[in-house]
Amino acid sequence: PREEPVAPGDGGAARLGPRFHLAGAVLFCCVGLEFSFNLWAAKLVSDNTGLSAAVAASALTAFTAGLALGRFGGARLALRIPPSPLLLGALGLTFAGWLLFWTSTAPLTAYAGLLVSGIGVSLHFPLALSRVLTATRARPERATAAASLYSSSATGVGPFLLGALADVSGTWQAFLMVPAMIVLAVGGILVSSSR
């Protein structure tokens, strides 16, 4: 069968528009946050609490438990709350968990902070991806391809950047990248929602 003609301005990721790319930047920040926690949280727990690296690695269990709880409960919330407000709430919850985790010098509070962070992070990817895919109705297949580029690049850039910062200033200061990415994500959501 013949292909349907493509309307002018309808093709190419570059033509998806600024609203789409803002949503893509939010997705990038959200994925970068998750993988930064996954790869570096245990190191900060060890540094802050004095636990051995092997024991501190168990802190990721708290983060993973938070992810599981958040995905279970978040699916129900997503049926009642629009994606943008729910994502803003999840980012706020992640910030609260990060602050508890980042300032903690006791294992119990560090684990609690990671649990709360995990609950917030659990909603980031599905909600951010939803916003990317709904940002354009013209070429959803191209939007999907571009979204995969945003998310896959974030898995490498986020943890690498945090590691590079840790080499220069230490893991504790490097983890300030987390609230910076949260602020960028919130800004992207507010700007793209108002367009």
Side-chain angles (χ1 to χ4, degrees):
R2 290 175 54 187
E3 292 186 3
E4 292 295 323
V6 178
D10 203 2
R15 299 177 187 174
L16 290 173
R19 185 168 174 264
F20 170 82
H21 292 292
L22 277 171
V26 171
L27 177 63
F28 180 93
C29 290
C30 289
V31 174
L33 280 171
E34 179 175 350
F35 279 83
S36 294
F37 270 108
N38 274 328
L39 295 178
W40 289 102
K43 177 67 167 68
L44 186 57
V45 170
S46 178
D47 291 349
N48 282 359
T49 66
L51 293 175
S52 67
V55 175
S58 66
L60 290 179
T61 304
F63 186 73
T64 304
L67 290 174
L69 289 172
R71 291 272 164 86
F72 178 77
R76 299 183 179 187
L77 287 176
L79 297 174
R80 303 177 181 180
I81 304 174
S84 293
L86 186 55
L87 181 53
L88 288 171
L91 287 163
L93 187 62
T94 302
F95 176 80
W98 165 84
L99 187 60
L100 179 61
F101 158 68
W102 187 66
T103 57
S104 176
T105 56
L108 184 60
T109 50
Y111 281 44
L114 284 174
L115 177 69
V116 174
S117 296
I119 293 172
V121 167
S122 69
L123 300 178
H124 291 183
F125 178 75
L127 292 173
L129 181 60
S130 172
R131 294 183 74 258
V132 168
L133 297 180
T134 57
T136 177
R137 297 190 181 106
R139 298 298 295 270
E141 73 286 353
R142 291 187 183 270
T144 302
S148 69
L149 289 176
Y150 277 114
S151 57
S152 60
S153 59
T155 62
V157 173
F160 176 81
L161 180 58
L162 197 151
L165 291 172
D167 285 341
V168 174
S169 58
T171 309
W172 189 78
Q173 288 186 336
F175 254 89
L176 287 169
M177 188 182 87
V178 168
M181 293 181 78
I182 290 174
V183 168
L184 289 173
V186 169
I189 293 167
L190 296 177
V191 171
S192 62
S193 298
S194 66
R195 294 182 66 89

